[in-house]
Amino acid sequence: MKLHLNIEPLSNWANVTHEPFVISGPCSAETEEQLLATAHLLKDTGKVSVLRAGIWKPRTRPGEFEGIGSIGLEWLKRAKAETGLPTAVEVANAKHVEEALAAGVDILWVGARSTVNPFTVQEIADALKGVDIPVMVKNPINPDLSLWIGALERINQAGITKLAAIHRGFSSFEKTAFRNEPMWDLAISLKTLVPNLPIINDPSHICGNRELLPFISQKALDLDMQGLMIESHIDPSVAWTDAKQQVTPAALSEMIDGFVLRKAESKNAEFVDKLAGLREKIDKIDDQIFQKLGERMKIVSQIGEYKRDNNVTILQVSRWDEILQKRTAYGSALSLEKDFTEKVLELIHSESIRKQTAIMNAIKAEMS
Ligand code: PEP
Ligand code: MN
């Protein structure tokens, strides 16, 4: 399935002064000095294309610093005038949109806590009607692809065609090394559904710490994401918000130098030839996999009919456990990840159950 959103390429609206496309700046604008000093150092690296800063901060608990507010827009204006860097801020309601537009902010983004709420997203979309400005939509806090797509659609339907998504990771119950689980599959699914949508990775909110930033950034670049949003601060140790994950402009510059940029394609004839050969092999194997799956499902139907005729239940837990155990052992002997083997088996198994249930139901319908 593909979704057809009317979206312009990133190159239409982002002046990418250095590869990869990097948006950077403090989590929060705190003081005019902090914002201006950070902005100048970022500009001086020559590797940052857009200056970001949070002016209105959504906070988990009341009483925490909730952003410097509208005065920060004046500081951003000055930072832009002095450095020439275009600016980006988070907007969470119609008033934010109006103020940001009036202050000449170049790019707006919808934060993760807003994307979860269709009322909020619609309010922002309505405020954007008739305006030509790039908008980036962060993924919702919870791992729900439909919410993310829904928010992108609402903004797009308001007439915003300079649209991008920001992948900032998802909240998960399980605590891992990351502040927000990357769940790359969701970003990949979004890319597959809306291939013309630029996706920018935000390693800062995924990692929640400085140490993992290069690893997540490189992975995002390897997945062909179109840019990075990385939080930076003149002195991260005293930052008012997200202190653990911000980096100095100098550290950012060094990190960018360490990135390996790969191309989505190569025109080298030998490479193209070899890749085509390997893809042909994969296509053949995929055909065989589906042929075997078809054969398997036919046998499943036979079993279903046999169980039905003998009044035996569809699900036999002991049989399923046996399949799972044997196949994951076999899978690991073939160097397949246990998690992967289990996922494949679960898919096959649930389809088998569905087929057998249909057979049982058909006979019930016939009898009634
Ligand atoms: C931010 O970018 O500072 C921010 C609040 O991010 P998120 O919406 O991803 O939590
Ligand atoms: Mn932040």
Side-chain angles (χ1 to χ4, degrees):
M1 197 184 78
K2 294 265 177 278
L3 269 175
H4 291 287
L5 302 189
N6 179 17
I7 300 170
E8 296 180 48
L10 188 99
S11 54
N12 273 18
W13 53 269
N15 181 20
V16 181
T17 50
H18 185 274
E19 293 283 351
F21 176 50
V22 173
I23 302 168
S24 191
C27 176
S28 302
E30 299 165 4
T31 64
E32 186 166 22
E33 296 68 40
Q34 166 249 11
L35 183 65
L36 285 171
T38 310
H40 277 284
L41 289 177
L42 289 173
K43 170 72 185 180
D44 292 347
T45 66
K47 295 165 197 161
V48 172
S49 299
V50 176
L51 173 69
R52 66 148 277 159
I55 301 292
W56 301 285
K57 301 300 296 181
R59 303 312 304 273
T60 307
R61 306 276 308 272
E64 293 176 284
F65 172 63
E66 291 190 323
I68 207 70
S70 316
I71 181 77
L73 292 171
E74 295 305 313
W75 307 343
L76 267 174
K77 234 194 243 176
R78 200 168 148 200
K80 178 179 168 178
E82 289 183 16
T83 65
L85 287 173
T87 54
V89 298
E90 173 178 349
V91 287
N93 58 39
K95 188 172 156 283
H96 294 168
V97 173
E98 281 154 27
E99 286 192 31
L101 292 174
V105 170
D106 300 280
I107 302 171
L108 306 179
W109 86 81
V110 178
R113 286 161 196 78
S114 301
T115 308
V116 291
N117 186 344
F119 286 130
T120 300
V121 177
Q122 193 57 53
E123 180 184 328
I124 296 169
D126 290 342
L128 284 165
K129 282 205 177 109
V131 182
D132 182 23
I133 188 166
V135 179
M136 309 187 290
V137 179
K138 286 204 176 194
N139 67 253
I141 299 249
N142 54 326
D144 185 334
L145 184 58
S146 300
L147 266 178
W148 199 2
I149 292 172
L152 286 156
E153 285 177 323
R154 283 176 200 277
I155 304 289
N156 193 226
Q157 281 169 14
I160 300 292
T161 50
K162 300 182 169 99
L163 194 61
I166 301 182
H167 171 227
R168 53 78 80 196
F170 302 86
S171 192
S172 86
F173 183 65
E174 209 181 317
K175 286 293 156 245
T176 67
F178 301 110
R179 178 178 174 193
N180 291 292
E181 278 300 300
M183 302 189 193
W184 299 100
D185 286 4
L186 284 170
I188 293 167
S189 297
L190 180 65
K191 189 77 197 162
T192 314
L193 274 168
V194 199
N196 57 340
L197 176 72
I199 303 186
I200 289 160
N201 183 261
D202 170 349
S204 305
H205 291 89
I206 289 178
C207 298
N209 62 59
R210 286 179 272 281
E211 293 69 31
L212 290 168
L213 288 176
F215 164 73
I216 290 293
S217 306
Q218 186 62 54
K219 172 125 189 185
L221 295 174
D222 291 347
L223 286 173
D224 205 22
M225 293 202 179
Q226 285 188 271
L228 298 166
M229 185 195 250
I230 306 178
E231 289 184 342
S232 57
H233 191 287
I234 178 104
D235 184 358
S237 67
V238 298
W240 298 1
T241 55
D242 289 351
K244 280 195 234 143
Q245 72 196 30
Q246 304 203 57
V247 290
T248 61
L252 176 78
S253 174
E254 205 177 304
M255 181 160 63
I256 295 173
D257 286 343
F259 294 153
V260 181
L261 295 182
R262 299 177 224 275
K263 298 169 287 263
E265 276 175 274
S266 165
K267 299 229 175 328
N268 176 294
E270 199 185 319
F271 172 85
V272 171
D273 222 39
K274 178 142 190 212
L275 188 66
L278 291 171
R279 282 181 172 161
E280 207 173 297
K281 276 190 194 169
I282 281 197
D283 286 349
K284 272 198 192 129
I285 293 174
D286 284 350
D287 285 349
Q288 288 168 353
I289 291 174
F290 280 99
Q291 193 189 332
K292 289 288 166 200
L293 280 174
E295 285 173 22
R296 188 191 196 279
M297 290 305 162
K298 274 202 188 112
I299 297 175
V300 163
S301 300
Q302 283 173 14
I303 294 180
E305 283 162 18
Y306 194 56
K307 282 183 185 167
R308 177 196 64 200
D309 296 343
N310 288 281
N311 267 330
V312 171
T313 57
I314 297 173
L315 179 68
Q316 279 137 340
V317 177
S318 56
R319 167 71 180 143
W320 169 233
D321 282 344
E322 181 198 320
I323 293 182
L324 207 58
Q325 268 186 17
K326 274 197 188 154
R327 294 300 144 219
T328 46
Y330 186 55
S332 63
L334 295 170
S335 304
L336 295 173
E337 288 282 338
K338 184 161 174 274
D339 190 43
F340 170 74
T341 315
E342 279 178 4
K343 270 193 197 147
V344 172
L345 282 171
E346 265 160 26
L347 259 183
I348 295 174
H349 186 239
S350 67
E351 174 61 7
S352 305
I353 299 268
R354 195 196 59 78
K355 260 191 134 40
Q356 294 193 12
T357 311
I359 289 170
M360 295 269 178
N361 287 344
I363 189 84
K364 263 194 228 138
E366 253 172 52
M367 283 181 347
S368 60

